[in-house]
Amino acid sequence: MKLLSILLMCSLLNAAPLSLKNTPYFHPNASVNVVIFYTTWCPPCKRSLTLLDKIHAKHPRLFISRVSVEDIESQKRALPYGLSQSVPLILIADHEGNVIKRFKSLPNKTIFGDLIQRLEEGRLENGTLPIDQRVDTWKMDRKGM
């Protein structure tokens, strides 16, 4: 039993990252792609949709896909994206379609807005530049640049 658990964990760790690239939830011209799986009867879903609309007004290059999961077929289509038993499920993907963040409920408006802003600027989730865009300032200072 322990061996089976270890093998399962290893396979999960080596799983490919989730991508929205070849799905209807991805827009190639968007700076950030957001997918929300929701139901119309869910109060947290309604609040999340309202907040996403407000954030979209401030970030027009944000692409939001609203996916209702009220029937069995739509729930089955959402399973590969991590939908389990609760909604809303919110996926945040960068401009390449790579899912970088998952929320089981929408976080604070400021936290969410700051994340969207960093991604629109081409920064990573934590605010740093991608490795290929970083400048080694120590080397620049040593060369007298």
Side-chain angles (χ1 to χ4, degrees), residues 3 12 29 31 35 46 55 57 59 71 104 124 126 132 135:
L3 180 60
L12 290 175
N29 295 331
S31 59
V35 181
K46 290 177 183 179
I55 289 173
H59 302 276
D71 60 59
K104 293 287 184 178
L124 299 176
N126 65 1
D132 60 333
V135 176

Side-chain angles (χ1 to χ4, degrees), residues 41-115:
W41 50 263
C42 164
C45 295
K46 290 177 183 179
R47 287 192 299 272
S48 297
L49 288 167
T50 302
L51 182 57
L52 282 172
D53 288 339
K54 289 178 183 176
I55 289 173
H56 188 255
K58 292 182 182 178
H59 302 276
R61 291 189 53 221
L62 177 70
F63 181 70
I64 300 173
S65 295
R66 294 163 180 83
V67 184
S68 174
V69 289
E70 295 191 17
D71 60 59
I72 298 295
E73 288 304 313
S74 61
Q75 291 171 10
K76 286 180 183 176
R77 286 192 302 270
L79 285 176
Y81 300 101
L83 183 69
S84 56
Q85 296 177 350
S86 64
V87 287
L89 172 66
I90 302 162
L91 305 176
I92 312 295
D94 61 13
H95 66 281
E96 295 176 355
N98 301 316
V99 174
I100 56 145
K101 197 76 173 171
R102 266 181 232 206
F103 295 102
K104 293 287 184 178
S105 63
L106 198 61
N108 174 301
K109 180 181 176 182
T110 304
I111 291 170
F112 194 77
D114 289 349
L115 172 63

